[in-house]
Amino acid sequence: MWLAPEEVLVANALWVTERANPFFVLQRRRGHGKGGGLTGLLVGTLDVVLDSSARVAPYRILHQTQDLQVYWTVACGSSRKEITKHWEWLENNLLQTLSIFDNEEDITTFIKGKIHGIIAEENKNLQPQGDEDPGKFKEAELKMRKQFGMPEGEKLVNYYSCSYWKGRVPRQGWLYLTVNHMCFYSFLLGKEVSLVVQWVDVTRLEKNATLLFPESIRVDTRDQELFFSMFLNISETFKLMEQLANLAMRQLLDSEGFLEDKALLRPIRPHRNISALKRDLDARAKNECYRATFRLPRDERLDGHTGCTLWTPFNKLHIPGQMFISNNYICFASKEEDACHLIIPLREVTTVEKADSSSVLPSPLSISTKSKMTFLFANLKDRDFLVQRISDFLQKMPSKQPGSSSGERKASVVVTTPESPSAAQDVLEQPASPSSTLSGCRSICTQVPTASQGLLKLFQRNSSTEVLGAKGAKEKMKEESWNIHFFEYGRGICMYRTARTRELVLKGIPEGLRGELWLLFSGAWNEMVTHPGYYAELVEKSTGKYSLATEEIERDLHRSMPEHPAFQNELGIAALRRVLTAYAFRNPTIGYCQAMNIVTSVLLLYGSEEEAFWLLVALCERMLPDYYNTRVVGALVDQGIFEELTRDFLPQLSEKMQDLGVISSISLSWFLTLFLSVMPFESAVVIVDCFFYEGIKVVLQVALAILDANMEQLLGCSDEGEAMTVLGRYLDNVVNKQSVSPPIPHLHALLTSGDDPPVEVDIFELLKVSYEKFSSLQANDIEQMRFKQRLKVIQSLEDTAKRSVVRAIPGDIGFSIEELEDLYMVFKAKHLASQYWGGSCTAAIRRDPSLPYLEQYRIDASQFQELFISLTPWACGSHTPVLAGRMFRLLDKNKDLLINFKEFVTGMSGMYHGDLTEKLKVLYKLHLPPALSPEEAESALEAARYFTEDSSSEALPQEEQEGADNEDVREKRGEEKGTSPQDCRHYLRMWAQEKEAQKETIKDLPKMNQEQFIELCKTLYNMFSEDPMEQDLYHAIATVASLLLRIGEVGKKFSVRAGRKPRDIACSGDHDRPTAATVEVESPVPELHQDTAWEPQLSAAGDLQAKAGGDTHLGKAPQESQVVGETGSGEGQGSPSQLLSDDETKDDMSMSSYSVVSTGSLQCEDLTDDTVLVGGEVSSHMAAAHCEGTVDADWCISFEQILASILTESVLVNFFEKRVDIGLKIKDQKKVERQFSTSSDHEQSGVSG
């Protein structure tokens, strides 16, 4: 490639000059190519270890000046071909021009300008999107692609110098991290190491330090463990590797590929070695952390953050921390975790004031909100820029906010003193709390009571605090505490959240405030207020729509808290139905999952339908990620974390629990329903209070506390059932003595042991213990553990999918389990490649993780062709892609242009397994429709006629087999268009029919016409071209082909003589089934000249007539009407009415194998030049046929005749019965798939494997 000219002082150090002229020098790097000796090895090693941009290009072109003291680089190349192209361009385009110049400086200036112009032109053509990756980085990316054979679509994110430990020897080299792969290259003293690992194959990724590997990164796949160390910045490298592995897991989970963020702001001065993708990933990580910390909507993007202090009026302090600004929010987090958190939505802001600085309060900034709260920030480093950014975001806010009055003005940005009265003028009486503003945001039909209040208020018995006594007094005190808190810390979304807030939550939220505080702490309030009318619109759209999700919802509605009076009548049930259906409609990838009904029913008790809906959105999409998808991945991930925490905190119990297998049984029900299904309702709801404030941390803490409380009894358990009884009994007796609601009977039967009365456990005591013993758990640690477990869980699910798919493959396929698993991995890799590089998005778009495993990964024709070429035992050279296309059409039974793994394996098995007959059957079918497409037919006219008839007869033997499936195929097609989802019954029916399908016999195969036979001969000639027995095979196939041509000719004669009577039958309209005696043959048959293995006879034409149901008119003359062949199909347009079979007239007369081929029966150009036909008459007639250029439409041949003819040639029999090991081909394909390629032309003196 052309390089921006850079000065080189010593031109010949480590380089050898190969070509030179007065102005330019072409050089090769020492040690590159043949020879080089020790110097070459040392230079190669230095290039890898010391060069910061990757390996040095082995060729370069320098511009030389007359005094030979200064040289300028103008081009470099990774191969001789590339550099020669540049050299020739310089010689042809510049040498003549340069000889005109007199001044040496002018020559150099001209060359530099010319080269810069070429580079600018290339960049304009190659990167119209304005990629701002720095030049050094682009160079490294190009070398990475060359070194590992990656396509253009594979983007490099970053590269690092490090050591790979091969055994106990560290190999210094370069680690390249791309979007889909991790690659490593090292070249030390002639020993080369080249590694490529796909991120989707990574099963474990961790940073550890051992005696053997000091501070290293460990990367595990299913078949290898890799260790990398000696990084300059190991934390940065590991963080990036985590992100890329996470993206790959997301791709496996829900088929989401990596899409570059086009809206990401570009820096004014991009860092020299940081790519746009690296900045994109860094921004994503910051955004995710920001949203999780402040529970913000998923589309919120962090604009920037800065250090500052916040004045907190409740304790009269300036608290140091960080201010975060995004499109719609200003947030603050103190350095001390519990000191203070603050969220200010820009929709609530009325004024932003820059006050005068002082020594006490440098660079202050005051922000006022509609709820008459003012927040004072100080110590802002770049206050003016910050105010400008806030002003920009405020300008973009809609002029009329949801829930605001029509006369409201936009927020103002003023520069004044803190005492300025201007702020007060812009403030409106509009509190930002759910309790006060809900009426403005609600748009569900008002006639439904649940549209405005929670079910608990509708169904609660009137009981005053006086009647409730001590419980009522306690509840009153809680309410009073919260009111004081609201007075001191503010109420609503802009409330200061401190350690005091957590204390109050732990003491229990009062019934009357629960709904409001759940909305605030979960962040659901923000989404609800910014999407007015969204829920009502969803309800309207989803009403009356049927899907698999709605069916499941209906089934579970009456199982949702049936013990609560609110769900013992239609009002509660209808509200639950609307919320669940609306969510399934909003998020079809989740749809509905069991346990969502239980959680949603509790949300409906404390909030209106719209509030419950947005709380459900917050739960499913942010707080419990991936919990409620089809494979409950999120719950399995947190179950893994729970097991890990049990090992850390309760090591004595951990081993026992693993032996009993209890953790996997208990944790799913605990986590999926937040204890609501295993604990009395009034107790579990206290855990939900804490969960909305603290997140999953609380659930894990409580789970550990429960195990800790029952440790002694659990250690004494002998089996899983006993352990479950112990835990069930404990959970049933966790009580909430402060609850003012009437007790709701718990559905779990009270588990008692003997006559001992159960010991009651107070829920608040349990929470207190969980915080005392396990509060060291941090949100960041949990996220780190989640990543580690997610790798394990998703790869475990992928392995389960692989085993399930392999088990679904019928036993008669012939491949071993290991071979099937290897084939599955290759097949899956091909599917994923379409997502990586966009070569074919069809399969990726249509992948639905909710489908049965067998249907999840599918490939299209181009992907199948690539696999077929690398795996087929029938290599046909340039003809192989044609054969691949035919095989794809043969396997694609439902015509959706995609094939699944089962269909793929069926095709492969046909070529690898079975006897000669089975293999020939596959080859035979590949030359009949639907495998043989009309485009491939020699005569377009014949093909058109044939396919017209084929559609009317509708009797393809292959399709006969599938006949019963047609309805299901239509269902499946409709499904993909989004009409209705498939259910299990569809697949059960499909598999049952597959089992019942009759085994196809050679009798079921249709006859082959002359055109199709010519195509078969072409395939066979191509197939033998690379075989050691090539000449023998050519001779054998020539003999067989000439023999079969004669057989077809004889068959045609019988067809012409016997064709009248069936035609008369058909014309008379008598479609009754005539007997075989209807047709009589009166032709003399010549004497047999040569023994052959076949005995062609005549079939019962009347029988065929009945199957076909009428005449089939083909050929040149209308009077040559024929009846379709014995299979009743329209497979061959030239099929005569009389077809030859072996067993119907066994003792009848035979025909001579030396029958003459008729003129026009075969086109010579359709066979290769090597064709040798036996018999002079055949040759002469074929020459005549070539002149006429026609194909005989009456000619046909059956599969039995082809089989019998091939059996006469032992060399052909041996060829087709030869065993081929698919394992070697799979290994080669995996290398191609993973791009194990050292594609430079550098010849190593030794490669260490």
Side-chain angles (χ1 to χ4, degrees), residues 283 293 407 713 777 902 1058 1062 1074 1117 1125 1172:
T293 305
Q713 288 170 280
L777 270 179
K902 185 177 178 183
V1172 181

Side-chain angles (χ1 to χ4, degrees), residues 167-422:
R168 298 196 173 193
V169 182
R171 299 293 176 86
Q172 185 67 27
W174 290 88
L175 182 71
Y176 299 90
L177 305 180
T178 73
V179 173
N180 303 300
H181 297 81
M182 180 190 78
C183 312
F184 176 82
Y185 182 79
S186 168
F187 176 76
L188 288 174
L189 300 176
K191 300 289 185 183
E192 184 182 60
V193 177
S194 184
L195 289 171
V196 179
V197 175
Q198 291 185 62
W199 290 118
V200 288
D201 290 336
V202 173
T203 55
R204 182 175 178 182
L205 179 64
E206 59 186 30
K207 187 170 63 173
N208 52 22
T210 62
L211 203 60
L212 186 61
F213 304 118
E215 202 175 25
S216 62
I217 293 175
R218 174 178 177 171
V219 182
D220 287 7
T221 64
R222 287 177 178 83
D223 31 54
Q224 57 185 339
E225 291 178 8
L226 309 171
F227 289 89
F228 300 93
S229 65
M230 302 186 196
F231 290 92
L232 287 173
N233 187 342
I234 193 167
S235 298
E236 181 199 325
T237 312
F238 183 69
K239 185 181 171 188
L240 181 56
M241 290 169 86
E242 267 191 339
Q243 281 181 287
L244 292 167
N246 241 332
L247 284 171
M249 292 308 107
R250 177 59 51 194
Q251 193 178 40
L252 287 176
L253 187 60
D254 53 21
S255 195
E256 274 184 20
F258 175 76
L259 292 172
E260 198 173 342
D261 187 355
K262 300 294 181 190
L264 185 68
L265 291 170
R266 291 176 181 171
I268 299 160
R269 292 187 300 275
H271 191 278
R272 196 167 63 90
N273 276 338
I274 293 184
S275 67
L277 281 176
K278 175 75 168 65
R279 290 194 304 101
D280 186 340
L281 287 167
D282 288 345
R284 285 177 191 230
K286 286 178 182 173
N287 284 335
E288 282 168 18
C289 183
Y290 170 62
R291 289 192 294 259
T293 305
F294 299 104
R295 305 271 167 81
L296 299 176
R298 286 194 301 174
D299 55 354
E300 197 61 25
R301 298 153 62 92
L302 180 64
D303 187 69
H305 58 92
T306 182
C308 66
T309 59
L310 171 67
W311 170 253
T312 49
F314 50 87
N315 58 3
K316 309 286 189 293
L317 289 174
H318 288 283
I319 297 178
Q322 289 271 327
M323 177 195 273
F324 301 86
I325 296 174
S326 59
N327 315 31
N328 302 295
Y329 299 89
I330 299 170
C331 302
F332 175 84
S334 60
K335 284 185 178 175
E336 288 180 46
E337 191 186 357
D338 287 339
C340 183
H341 266 213
L342 180 65
I343 300 165
I344 310 170
L346 291 180
R347 64 178 181 268
E348 298 292 332
V349 173
T350 54
T351 56
V352 179
E353 299 176 295
K354 284 194 289 186
D356 290 338
S357 292
S358 67
S359 56
V360 181
L361 207 62
S363 305
L365 182 69
S366 170
I367 298 174
S368 302
T369 67
K370 297 171 188 173
S371 52
K372 294 187 176 180
M373 291 180 75
T374 301
F375 304 96
L376 187 63
F377 298 92
N379 292 288
L380 291 158
K381 288 176 185 172
D382 198 346
R383 183 177 62 165
D384 293 342
F385 177 74
L386 191 70
V387 170
Q388 185 57 48
R389 290 304 292 160
I390 295 172
S391 174
D392 292 344
F393 286 131
L394 284 170
Q395 291 300 319
K396 291 175 188 173
M397 296 299 288
S399 56
K400 185 178 177 183
Q401 286 296 333
S404 65
S405 61
S406 56
E408 182 180 335
R409 294 198 298 275
K410 276 200 173 183
S412 61
V413 179
V414 294
V415 180
T416 179
T417 58
E419 291 80 20
S420 168
S422 62

Side-chain angles (χ1 to χ4, degrees), residues 432-497:
S433 69
S435 55
S436 57
T437 340
L438 280 178
S439 55
C441 302
R442 191 174 294 109
S443 46
I444 306 177
C445 43
T446 49
Q447 64 266 30
V448 182
T450 49
S452 56
Q453 55 187 323
L455 288 166
L456 208 60
K457 288 181 182 172
L458 295 170
F459 287 90
Q460 202 167 28
R461 295 164 199 159
N462 296 324
S463 50
S464 62
T465 48
E466 288 79 16
V467 176
L468 291 166
K471 282 186 180 180
K474 186 77 176 172
E475 186 75 1
K476 194 77 177 164
M477 281 171 62
K478 280 186 193 175
E479 286 177 7
E480 197 56 42
S481 299
W482 275 100
N483 286 330
I484 293 167
H485 184 274
F486 291 148
F487 179 76
E488 289 183 4
Y489 297 85
R491 184 169 190 169
I493 199 74
C494 299
M495 174 171 69
Y496 292 99
R497 302 169 196 216

Side-chain angles (χ1 to χ4, degrees), residues 1092-1243:
T1092 57
W1094 50 273
E1095 294 182 19
Q1097 281 88 21
L1098 202 60
S1099 64
D1103 189 17
L1104 310 173
Q1105 156 77 22
K1107 285 186 185 178
D1111 283 348
T1112 303
H1113 296 280
L1114 281 174
K1116 298 168 195 166
Q1119 64 266 28
E1120 288 179 10
S1121 291
Q1122 301 160 6
V1123 179
V1124 176
E1126 71 177 351
T1127 56
S1129 81
E1131 283 282 322
Q1133 78 267 31
S1135 299
S1137 55
Q1138 277 69 34
L1139 300 171
L1140 304 166
S1141 81
D1142 287 338
D1143 51 314
E1144 290 188 13
T1145 50
K1146 199 75 181 172
D1147 299 322
D1148 216 337
M1149 295 163 281
S1150 300
M1151 285 166 274
S1152 167
S1153 64
Y1154 280 97
S1155 300
V1156 177
V1157 179
S1158 69
T1159 302
S1161 64
L1162 184 64
Q1163 290 174 307
C1164 291
E1165 66 219 33
D1166 290 324
L1167 299 177
T1168 64
D1169 295 336
D1170 295 329
T1171 309
V1172 181
L1173 293 177
V1174 179
E1177 291 178 73
V1178 176
S1179 303
S1180 61
H1181 281 290
M1182 283 187 66
H1186 179 63
C1187 298
E1188 291 209 7
T1190 57
V1191 173
D1192 193 338
D1194 295 332
W1195 188 98
C1196 78
I1197 202 84
S1198 72
F1199 175 72
E1200 295 103 308
Q1201 290 161 341
I1202 292 175
L1203 174 63
S1205 303
I1206 285 177
L1207 285 169
T1208 62
E1209 297 290 339
S1210 60
V1211 67
L1212 289 174
V1213 173
N1214 293 339
F1215 177 84
F1216 282 105
E1217 289 191 339
K1218 181 173 61 182
R1219 302 269 313 167
V1220 182
D1221 182 14
I1222 197 172
L1224 297 172
K1225 289 184 177 286
I1226 291 172
K1227 278 181 187 172
D1228 291 341
Q1229 170 59 19
K1230 279 184 177 176
K1231 286 184 181 179
V1232 172
E1233 209 63 65
R1234 294 182 181 178
Q1235 307 294 337
F1236 276 115
S1237 162
T1238 51
S1239 51
S1240 76
D1241 55 352
H1242 189 97
E1243 293 182 21

